[in-house]
Amino acid sequence: MFGGGIILVGYVCKYTPVEIIEAFGETPVKLEPDSKSYEQAEALIHSNICSFAKGILENIIDNHIEEVVLTSCCDSIKRLYDVLKERVKFIYLLDLPRKKDPMAVDLFYGEIKEFIDAYKAYIKRDFSKEILAKILENKAIKGKRMDSESIAILGARLKEDVVEKIKNSCAEKIINLTCTGEERIFDVKPEGDILKNYAESLLNLTPCMRMADDRNDLVNKKFKGIIYNTIKFCDYYAYEYAELKDKVDIPLLKIETDYTDSGSGQILTRVDAFLESTGIKKIEKTKAKSGYFAGIDSGSTSANVVIIDENKNIISYSIVPTGPKAVESARQAFELALKSAGLKEEDIKAAVATGYGRVSIPFAQKTVTEITCHGKGAFFIDSTVRTVIDIGGQDSKVIRLDDSGNVVDFVMNDKCSAGTGRFLEVMARTLGVSIEEMGKVVEKVKEDITITSMCTVFAESEVISLIAQNKDQRDIIHALNKAVASKAVSLVERIKGKGKYMMTGGVAKNKGVVTAIEKRLGEKILIPPEPQIIGALGAALIALEGK
Amino acid sequence: MDAVKSYSKFIKKNMERPEKVKKLINLGLFIAYHYVKFFRDKRLPESFHFLNKYSIKCVIDSLNQPQNSAWVNIFAPSEFLIAMDIKPLFIEAYSSFMSGFFIEDCLIDAAESKGISNTLCSYHKTFLGASELGILEKPRFMITTSIACDANIPTFRYLSKKFGVPLCIIDVPYKYSKEAVSYVKKQLQELAAKLEEAFKRKLDLDKLREIVKTENKTRALMREYLNYVGKKTLQTTMTFEMYMLFASHVFIGSKETLKFYEMLVSDIKKAPEKSGKSVFFVHILPMFETNFKQYFNFGEKYHIAGSDINFDFLHEIDENDPFLGIAERLILTSLNGGIDRRVSRIRELLEYIKPDGIIQFCHLGCKQSMGGAFVIKKLASEMGIPFLCLDGDCVDKRNNQEGQNRTRLEAFLEML
């Protein structure tokens, strides 16, 4: 029960007979986890099950939800039921068939009838088929269901507020076709047993990935673009993404969410970059003006500013470590660059901000994602570059460019510091050496060690064991550099990157990592003279040309 | 060991030449089979030596005859395949062998770089990776059930589409009812028809009945074996406990499986009285994890006292109507349905075996099993048996924190 005194019946799966609950006069509510942590959930269930199931558990405890209706939709939800069984007043698990033939319909029909009996006994109220009929009449199919002019969000469920943010971030029509995004509209036959017909129409909803039917009808639809969502630890939808990736010729972006709030900024960056790179979102082209142009890259580790003139000459640049307030660091970097160029703020005709902090830079007129900016900057430095590997403090990304320097594909690491600058910083601290020292190790000394853990935390304990085994420090460093390289190369492989390669970001200054990546790719990597400013350079170029 | 590592390095070097890798894998299996045949480990009971050879041969047979083979998962009703002389390849076994050959990392990376989820079970990822790299010859048919694992249906559907091979999905309801049995029975009848069509041969119903009879005899021996597990100490290893999955699942009903259990019962009767401490495993065993191998393989102080996955169904099934009997078995396996069903089976086994400790190794990616860990821990504490829950991976060795596991495992063993 939430604060207001209305009894809410929580559910998670779209195949839940929501309309039956409504016919009882109760209020079904689709549970949407909004917890910041899984502290209570992880005390009751293993931490490696799906983050959505953990979020639901946390949510049910936090909000004292007393009635929950689940289906046997996936392994995590089945175990959630087992855990909740003795903790809420009413809980029911409907066995959901994976097929929709007449026998499957009969089975599900039986399940729905048993559910009605159980709920009737619990709330001591009768169920009326007439009320159900009315509810279903209001949810009958009306008009067109899909729009080929839209961008579809497909895959696993996505938090409503993220969907809203995506909708607000562009002018395009976005339709939510994720597993629970679909509108509840039915085509229930009027003749015969309404309950049986209802069971049949539920089983005939667009199949989710756990069903036996394939989803060709859905995925073969023509959309303008597809944003494909998967949830951490929910493995169902990645299969479909793997298939679609090579099959569809429409722009496709993969995002991964985990139902905590912390990821939505990163998701919006990706969506923005996706819309920019596919040309769905146009970046306004402005006429080149004389004067100076600035690009401000407000990153997690440093704020970088580049000032160029109308002829694209770099006049000055600055790199300032990001302090507790991103705007102040960006302002500081901006002033530093102005000072070394001998310019005043009013000399800057246009400024573009990029990086994580881009939306909060008051002295920039426009924001563009760091993906587009890195692509732009790298291609400007060398127009033979086709793949940019950017490893920054807290994220790494690989961007593929076409022959004209446009971004055609990109991939970022997922909310994990493995393979980033931060990973190396943590390890440097563990080893008691400076980050510069680490960069100098390019070859093994005695032994070729491999760090097997990709997770920063586990890799740290692996390093500690290697220290305990008295391994040569340089060999451990070499192994760590290889680990970062391997993560970067797997990103390159994911988007089928090809030469020439350019590496940008702070880690590009680490010779050890660069050499290890070169070995894996079998090709030399271009390192610009100052790899940290490429994003800002790209932003400055966009400020100048508008593209 | 070094020979295996060099072999693994050589395979990895040739990963871009799938035809060569196929040959190397077949060669590796051929050598493994002959090595086991001629250099028997003297510590090993007769029955496990037999099972060892049989299991490797089953994998070799299916890989060598792809057009007479079907890819299945461990819970597939392979009685039909045995009756029709079709060679099943169960993906969990193939992936274990690839991990034994130290090439699972390469295969997993191939699957992940294709876009397959990195948190998916590594048994599935390894197999998917092998298919991505083209080192698996396509079979004639595929069968999967929905039992116990979410990954079964999407993995097989992905493979079926990729290779253009027909797939039969058996949807096994979570709850038992007469209607549920009819639903599965009908699907099994459809399976038989599809197999007849794909392999262009008839299913002999009498032969299927014979296989079910053998299966019943085999389960009677399993029950007999359980009477001795708590009292005797049979020398075994993590690997052999896992090899038993060939006998308790995919190849149950075969004459060889019956023979194995006959030998096993005779071996355990002859085995010395229990000494040292025995540990019962929930779910699967980490057969490549160094610490576990060190403590449990032919261990003098610590012994493996079985795993619930090898005893997930112990009843007799209908011999006259095998479709009905197999349908009931599929629904009633303790790995299907709510955790209560599994808990009661584990309780029953613990009462038979009376182990000194219980370990649940939570294989990364296996949500149904790890999701129930806390419930099983509660059972252990009610029964007063020490319980250890460890996280890791039974296939992808990179996911095992051996240093951390060592401390936990040793502390637990000290507790016993």
Side-chain angles (χ1 to χ4, degrees):
Chain A
M1 206 162 95
F2 284 118
I6 314 158
I7 293 185
L8 300 172
V9 187
Y11 75 95
V12 293
C13 166
K14 72 173 174 190
Y15 293 102
T16 311
V18 168
E19 289 67 25
I20 302 277
I21 303 169
E22 287 173 348
F24 269 109
E26 297 300 328
T27 315
V29 55
K30 188 166 81 184
L31 297 175
E32 279 265 303
D34 51 6
S35 324
K36 301 261 186 285
S37 80
Y38 302 124
E39 204 182 315
Q40 303 171 85
E42 288 183 359
L44 298 171
I45 202 160
H46 196 288
S47 55
N48 284 351
I49 69 157
C50 149
S51 45
F52 172 75
K54 281 192 294 185
I56 289 290
L57 182 52
E58 195 80 25
N59 199 249
I60 289 172
I61 303 169
D62 276 348
N63 295 313
H64 309 291
I65 295 174
E66 290 165 349
E67 297 178 18
V68 182
V69 180
L70 302 173
T71 67
S72 58
C73 57
C74 73
D75 291 338
S76 295
I77 296 295
K78 287 176 195 164
R79 293 292 94 96
L80 178 69
Y81 168 80
D82 292 325
V83 167
L84 278 175
K85 219 163 38 179
E86 283 148 24
R87 287 185 170 80
V88 291
K89 282 189 181 159
F90 178 82
I91 184 156
Y92 200 90
L93 180 108
L94 285 110
D95 194 0
L96 176 65
R98 289 171 179 78
K99 299 190 172 179
K100 54 181 188 192
D101 58 38
M103 284 187 99
V105 170
D106 275 345
L107 256 186
F108 197 43
Y109 168 51
E111 276 294 300
I112 290 179
K113 280 198 295 188
E114 279 179 28
F115 164 65
I116 292 174
D117 289 344
Y119 199 54
K120 218 159 47 177
Y122 170 74
I123 57 166
K124 299 183 178 58
R125 207 181 304 153
D126 263 342
F127 169 77
S128 147
K129 283 188 181 177
E130 288 69 37
I131 298 176
L132 175 69
K134 268 198 193 128
I135 293 169
L136 291 172
E137 212 181 289
N138 290 333
K139 295 188 180 185
I141 294 173
K142 285 169 202 143
K144 223 167 122 188
R145 291 177 72 160
M146 299 222 187
D147 192 347
S148 60
E149 284 307 297
S150 325
I151 293 172
I153 309 178
L154 290 178
R157 62 181 74 220
L158 187 58
K159 265 179 118 165
E160 291 292 344
D161 65 321
V162 180
V163 175
E164 279 313 303
K165 278 182 192 163
I166 293 175
K167 281 183 179 167
N168 295 336
S169 73
C170 71
E172 296 300 321
K173 189 172 178 210
I174 306 270
I175 45 171
N176 182 2
L177 297 173
T178 57
C179 82
T180 50
E182 199 182 8
E183 240 184 295
R184 291 190 78 84
I185 38 180
F186 297 99
D187 187 11
V188 180
K189 280 184 263 169
E191 68 277 2
D193 184 343
I194 185 166
L195 270 185
K196 190 166 178 177
N197 298 345
Y198 173 59
E200 186 178 2
S201 66
L202 271 178
L203 286 182
N204 274 292
L205 289 172
T206 309
C208 72
M209 278 296 282
R210 62 87 75 185
M211 302 306 257
D213 281 327
D214 63 34
R215 295 166 27 102
N216 291 342
D217 282 353
L218 175 66
V219 294
N220 289 345
K221 285 243 157 34
K222 275 280 170 207
F223 300 110
K224 211 166 168 182
I226 296 173
I227 297 170
Y228 204 95
N229 179 47
T230 58
I231 300 179
K232 192 89 188 152
F233 292 113
C234 169
D235 308 319
Y236 274 143
Y237 285 92
Y239 293 92
E240 188 168 84
Y241 165 72
E243 265 178 57
L244 281 178
K245 197 165 66 106
D246 296 335
K247 233 170 62 182
V248 293
D249 48 5
I250 42 179
L252 174 71
L253 169 76
K254 155 109 187 279
I255 53 173
E256 185 176 85
T257 53
D258 76 346
Y259 266 88
T260 57
D261 273 346
S262 51
S264 65
Q266 204 189 31
I267 289 163
L268 288 180
T269 300
R270 290 183 198 198
V271 171
D272 261 2
F274 168 68
L275 298 174
E276 285 165 12
S277 69
T278 51
I280 295 172
K281 185 173 175 179
K282 300 273 182 292
I283 300 173
E284 250 178 77
K285 207 163 185 168
T286 48
K287 217 174 149 192
K289 306 164 211 161
S290 59
Y292 299 96
F293 302 86
I296 301 126
D297 180 0
S298 169
S300 65
T301 316
S302 64
N304 317 313
V305 171
V306 169
I307 296 175
I308 57 170
D309 67 12
E310 63 202 65
N311 297 316
K312 300 183 182 173
N313 299 309
I314 299 176
I315 304 298
S316 73
Y317 69 85
S318 63
I319 301 168
V320 170
T322 302
K325 285 190 178 165
V327 191
E328 278 171 22
S329 312
R331 162 63 68 185
Q332 222 182 326
F334 187 44
E335 278 167 7
L336 206 68
L338 284 171
K339 199 176 162 196
S340 70
L343 296 170
K344 293 203 175 79
E345 197 172 333
E346 47 271 30
D347 297 327
I348 304 296
K349 294 276 183 262
V352 166
T354 187
Y356 276 124
R358 66 184 181 283
V359 283
S360 41
I361 306 295
F363 42 95
Q365 290 80 45
K366 206 156 57 176
T367 63
V368 178
T369 63
E370 54 270 37
I371 289 153
T372 305
C373 289
H374 271 96
K376 184 92 189 160
F379 193 77
F380 174 73
I381 301 267
D382 189 325
S383 61
T384 60
V385 170
R386 293 293 172 270
T387 306
V388 184
I389 303 168
D390 174 62
I391 310 185
Q394 123 173 337
D395 72 25
S396 50
K397 45 189 161 301
V398 176
I399 305 157
R400 195 152 59 81
L401 305 175
D402 67 9
D403 295 346
S404 319
N406 301 310
V407 176
V408 283
D409 202 356
F410 66 91
V411 61
M412 286 169 83
N413 66 318
D414 293 304
K415 276 188 75 180
C416 168
S417 64
T420 66
R422 189 77 77 220
F423 174 87
L424 289 171
E425 274 173 27
V426 172
M427 300 307 156
R429 209 180 48 216
T430 310
L431 286 165
V433 295
S434 71
I435 195 89
E436 289 73 26
E437 283 301 309
M438 292 205 35
K440 288 181 190 157
V441 180
V442 292
E443 280 295 335
K444 64 171 185 183
V445 182
K446 291 180 192 149
E447 193 184 342
D448 194 7
I449 304 173
T450 301
I451 302 281
T452 53
S453 299
M454 275 303 186
C455 162
T456 306
V457 181
F458 286 137
E460 189 179 5
S461 65
E462 211 175 321
V463 166
I464 294 169
S465 341
L466 289 168
I467 297 171
Q469 289 165 35
N470 243 339
K471 300 279 181 195
D472 191 302
Q473 195 182 59
R474 288 162 301 174
D475 283 339
I476 303 178
I477 295 172
H478 180 239
L480 288 165
N481 290 342
K482 277 199 310 179
V484 174
S486 133
K487 193 84 186 164
V489 172
S490 78
L491 291 180
V492 171
E493 281 168 0
R494 256 166 70 181
I495 59 161
K496 301 192 172 68
K498 52 183 183 205
K500 239 180 198 173
Y501 295 93
M502 179 184 277
M503 202 167 145
T504 62
V507 178
K509 292 179 178 172
N510 179 317
K511 271 214 175 65
V513 173
V514 175
T515 315
I517 300 179
E518 284 176 339
K519 264 191 197 156
R520 292 281 304 268
L521 293 175
E523 199 176 320
K524 271 285 195 211
I525 297 174
L526 219 76
I527 309 290
E530 182 40 82
Q532 269 177 286
I533 61 160
I534 303 303
L537 172 64
L541 289 164
I542 293 170
L544 168 68
E545 331 173 316
K547 199 172 179 188
Chain B
M1 196 49 146
D2 283 335
V4 179
K5 288 214 168 142
S6 311
Y7 165 73
S8 141
K9 264 193 181 169
F10 191 62
I11 298 186
K12 283 181 181 173
K13 265 191 193 158
N14 284 285
M15 257 327 159
E16 279 171 18
R17 298 162 69 194
E19 284 308 316
K20 189 162 183 183
V21 173
K22 265 186 228 172
K23 281 184 190 150
L24 283 168
I25 289 173
N26 287 341
L27 176 71
L29 288 164
F30 176 83
I31 294 172
Y33 177 76
H34 284 89
Y35 182 85
V36 167
K37 194 170 167 186
F38 296 115
F39 302 98
R40 182 186 154 190
D41 189 326
K42 295 281 182 294
R43 296 167 295 180
L44 202 60
E46 279 284 343
S47 51
F48 284 131
H49 181 237
F50 175 80
L51 180 66
N52 200 355
K53 285 186 294 178
Y54 179 58
S55 304
I56 304 174
K57 191 171 176 301
C58 287
V59 176
I60 293 176
D61 283 352
S62 55
L63 288 177
N64 281 346
Q65 305 169 47
Q67 278 310 295
N68 187 32
S69 140
W71 288 353
V72 300
N73 79 314
I74 190 168
F75 296 105
S78 34
E79 290 92 341
F80 296 95
L81 303 178
I82 300 172
M84 292 173 78
D85 195 28
I86 298 164
K87 309 289 176 196
L89 176 67
F90 70 108
I91 64 167
E92 296 87 350
Y94 180 85
S95 299
S96 297
F97 274 98
M98 295 309 107
S99 186
F101 288 165
F102 289 86
I103 58 166
E104 84 284 2
D105 50 348
C106 248
L107 308 188
I108 288 168
D109 290 351
E112 287 180 6
S113 66
K114 178 76 187 168
I116 295 296
S117 168
N118 57 4
T119 55
L120 178 71
C121 163
S122 49
Y123 284 102
H124 286 253
K125 273 192 293 188
T126 305
F127 199 85
L128 287 162
S131 73
E132 285 305 323
L133 291 166
I135 60 173
L136 274 162
E137 202 75 54
K138 73 172 182 182
R140 187 168 275 195
F141 202 78
M142 299 183 191
I143 309 169
T144 189
T145 69
S146 58
I147 296 173
C149 169
D150 281 345
N152 287 333
I153 291 176
T155 291
F156 277 86
R157 188 166 45 208
Y158 183 88
L159 293 168
S160 156
K161 279 189 192 174
K162 184 176 170 65
F163 289 100
V165 169
L167 162 69
C168 184
I169 295 173
I170 312 285
D171 179 22
V172 180
Y174 199 58
K175 299 179 188 169
Y176 179 84
S177 66
K178 256 167 67 188
E179 294 74 19
V181 175
S182 312
Y183 176 56
V184 178
K185 183 180 165 180
K186 187 176 150 273
Q187 294 179 72
L188 293 177
Q189 285 162 338
E190 286 165 3
L191 165 69
K194 284 181 187 167
L195 283 170
E196 285 181 341
E197 194 190 325
F199 289 89
K200 307 213 173 348
R201 66 184 83 142
K202 278 298 230 192
L203 166 69
D204 179 347
L205 271 181
D206 286 333
K207 203 167 170 195
L208 185 64
R209 285 191 189 103
E210 268 312 301
I211 279 157
V212 168
K213 258 185 203 162
T214 312
E215 183 169 343
N216 282 338
K217 279 186 206 158
T218 309
R219 289 221 172 78
L221 290 164
M222 281 183 189
R223 292 191 296 268
E224 192 182 346
Y225 170 72
L226 277 174
N227 288 325
Y228 296 95
V229 184
K231 300 171 195 143
K232 303 273 191 165
T233 297
L234 196 63
Q235 284 288 348
T236 181
T237 69
M238 312 288 290
T239 308
F240 291 111
E241 200 60 36
M242 290 294 278
Y243 268 152
M244 277 174 83
L245 291 171
F246 279 80
S248 60
H249 289 80
V250 182
F251 294 92
I252 193 155
S254 72
K255 285 192 185 94
E256 290 85 351
T257 292
L258 179 66
K259 187 177 170 194
F260 162 68
Y261 277 100
E262 283 165 353
M263 291 165 83
L264 185 69
V265 170
S266 140
D267 279 338
I268 202 158
K269 281 181 182 168
K270 286 184 287 189
E273 294 302 307
K274 185 191 162 189
S275 63
K277 301 288 178 191
S278 61
V279 174
F280 178 81
F281 284 82
V282 173
H283 207 51
I284 45 181
L285 294 85
M287 60 187 199
F288 301 112
E289 214 274 358
T290 324
N291 304 306
F292 279 83
K293 281 191 337 198
Q294 188 192 325
Y295 279 102
F296 291 105
N297 286 1
F298 301 116
E300 283 179 11
K301 275 172 84 179
Y302 305 104
H303 310 285
I304 302 163
S307 153
D308 74 314
I309 196 167
N310 277 317
F311 302 100
D312 61 332
F313 186 82
L314 288 169
H315 306 284
E316 272 203 3
I317 61 175
D318 194 326
E319 292 177 0
N320 294 322
D321 185 350
F323 289 97
L324 179 85
I326 297 169
E328 285 197 311
R329 168 175 80 73
L330 290 174
I331 302 172
L332 286 172
T333 158
S334 62
L335 280 115
N336 188 42
I339 196 76
D340 294 351
R341 194 190 285 172
R342 189 164 186 196
V343 166
S344 10
R345 170 50 44 90
I346 293 175
R347 183 191 291 276
E348 205 182 319
L349 292 170
L350 294 174
E351 279 162 3
Y352 264 114
I353 298 170
K354 298 189 175 52
D356 298 294
I358 304 168
I359 295 179
Q360 180 167 5
F361 189 81
C362 291
H363 172 66
L364 194 72
C366 186
K367 279 100 180 164
Q368 61 83 22
S369 176
M370 70 174 78
F374 292 10
V375 186
I376 294 166
K377 186 177 182 177
K378 198 172 145 221
L379 167 78
S381 108
E382 279 166 23
M383 295 183 75
I385 309 171
F387 177 89
L388 174 71
C389 177
L390 274 183
D391 294 335
D393 201 308
C394 293
V395 176
D396 190 350
K397 301 176 203 83
R398 295 172 297 183
N399 288 332
N400 287 327
Q401 310 306 320
E402 295 197 343
Q404 293 182 351
N405 280 355
R406 182 170 199 90
T407 311
R408 293 175 200 184
L409 179 64
E410 286 179 354
F412 176 73
L413 295 176
E414 283 162 12
M415 269 164 63
L416 301 182

